[in-house]
Amino acid sequence: MKNLYIALSFVVISGTMIAQNKDTKNADKLFARFEYVKAVQEYQKLVDAGKGDAYVYKQLADANYNMFNSSDAVKWYAKATESQQDAETYYRYAQMLKANGKYEDANKQMSKFAALAPSDQRAKAFKDNPNYLPKLLSGREEYTLAPVSISSDKSDFGAILYDNTVYYSSARNGARKNYGWTDEPYLDIYKSVRADNGTFAEPTLVTELNTKFHDGTLTISADGNTCYFSTESFQNKESEKDKAANAKKSQVYLYKATKQGDTWGNLKLLPFNNIEFSTGNPSLSRDGKTLYFVSNRPGSMGGTDIWKVSVNGDEFGDPINLGPKVNTEGNENFPFIAEDNATLYFASSGRQGLGGLDVFKIDLAKGTEAVNLGKPVNSEKDDFAFTFNKEKNFGFISSNRNGNDDIFAVNPICGVDVLVLVTNAKTGEVISNAKVSILDAKNNIIGTETSNDKGEVSYRVECDKAYTIQASKDGFEGNAFPVAKSKGPKADVKAPLNPIEVIVTETEVVLNPIFFEFDKSNITQQGAFELDKLVQVMKNNPNMVIFAKSHTDRRGGDKYNLNLSERRAQATVQYIISKGIDAARISGKGMGETEPKVDCTSCTEAEHAQNRRSEFLIVKK
């Protein structure tokens, strides 16, 4: 049903039209009225009677395309393209193949499309990056989706949350007559109240905005007192005569309404509507100064484009096309401007996606490229009308992934983007090729990366959890840096590393004291930092051989001290070997208390500390 607002036109047939031939007359009339369900039935009768040809097959394919019956569309496009077709037919065929997960076959049709329309932006994108899908599918998921109770067994789409009330368009009103496009009732605007626990009240009609024609979607100002909504030009008694079809054509128009108590009133037609083209699906910026909308007016790049217009009370500027950063030769629709007045979300069938319509976002202020939101926001089917309420940290998307246009709740996955910057602590210069690990609260390493030429490493971690960054680089002392608990979205971690400055004499490599925990021999983090200095010296001097001696003070028994110092000496040796030093170049022995540095009987704490030491003697340089 959202295709009504992609085509952006409606017709009322007032007589007969010129058919392809006498056999297709009835089917062509139904097709021209957008009564695709019945049109398919009539074209199928011709096929069953042996009167199918390339024209009939293409009409069947396009009718199913417009209803997003992708399997049937693929079937008939395959038949139609047995004869040469126009470029757009091959593009549509590719879209329907993607909607069925047949990406290799879709690429074959895109190649034909690109050959026929080489200057088309969509063709250029395909030729530049035909195998974009693996990267798109491997992207990080930013949201979770869940069905919501406000959806019905009819088409429901375009939901947007203001305060605690959600407004959307629906074809559920059984009191309305059916429209031939999908054989569902005309669209109405509905609303429902969302409770704090996430449940929704029974939807009710927004009667003061609804007409006997199609109505919706809408947007509401930040203060809740103004809304803009779509309806048909028939409501303003305006239509355009289609002479070829002998029909009256309605366009989509935008209206403005203001709050009057608990209802909407003072409806005004916006001045930039025109019966020669459609204007609909509005989204108002948070500051109320810019209205975004979709239109097929002159100056559009494709079927429908996204435009904007300045707003100053009841005065409006000239509509401006958002240009090729947003629009393509395909259809762009359902704009939503975020609360930062810069991030625009929109649906597109003209950009590389998973199939049908995909949702993209772009930073209008920075002029960056549009980015596909990936799964699960997008699917192989039509995904559109993405909206988000920052205050509630909650949004909606519409999709026909389950066979019908339904509304899904969108919840962001809470994550923190940790950006680590590794620098020389003394000079401030960035350090590239540093080893950077991130550890969880239990000191489990959950990722290790190498800093880039800007000294940067980035990680994506969970919200409300503490982490630790460990950074190291040959020639520098390794160090650890905390990452505090936060809800993100970003955390910057500065990781300055001190250059290793080691005293190397003729006989010894002098390090700071290597501390061990009481009665233990495992290497501590502080000990590792010191031993890394020795590793660096040995790497810089590949012929150097070291003998490590571990000493204790005189407290404790002789045998106990000797065994403890031996365990510590061997732990030291094993650590050095684990860092890539050949075992033949490092050995060690525990000396216990046999070689005190200070020969004392009633030793002071300072004297005990001097005796409790490690020595790294140079056996060979």
Side-chain angles (χ1 to χ4, degrees), residues 390-434:
K390 185 177 180 181
E391 180 184 353
K392 305 293 184 181
N393 199 34
F394 173 85
F396 296 102
I397 189 174
S398 304
S399 177
N400 65 358
R401 65 187 65 189
N402 292 334
N404 195 48
D405 288 340
D406 290 318
I407 296 169
F408 294 83
V410 173
N411 288 286
I413 298 172
C414 189
V416 182
D417 289 314
V418 178
L419 181 64
V420 183
L421 177 62
V422 187
T423 60
N424 184 317
K426 292 203 169 183
T427 67
E429 295 178 348
V430 299
I431 300 176
S432 61
N433 296 315

Side-chain angles (χ1 to χ4, degrees), residues 120-132:
D120 190 294
Q121 181 177 331
R122 297 167 294 174
K124 292 177 179 178
F126 170 74
K127 288 187 286 187
D128 289 343
N129 188 18
N131 299 312
Y132 67 90

Side-chain angles (χ1 to χ4, degrees), residues 574-587:
Q574 290 304 310
Y575 181 85
I576 299 298
I577 293 172
S578 74
K579 293 298 182 176
I581 300 301
D582 192 303
R585 297 177 59 203
I586 178 74
S587 61

Side-chain angles (χ1 to χ4, degrees), residues 209-224:
L209 297 183
N210 289 318
T211 70
K212 66 179 181 179
F213 307 105
H214 289 291
D215 302 299
T217 56
L218 60 71
T219 184
I220 300 178
S221 61
D223 62 10

Side-chain angles (χ1 to χ4, degrees), residues 18-26 28 46 53 55-56:
I18 299 173
Q20 174 71 11
N21 57 55
K22 63 182 181 63
D23 291 324
T24 65
K25 178 179 178 180
N26 290 335
D28 290 341
L46 295 176
D53 57 20
Y55 173 79
V56 171

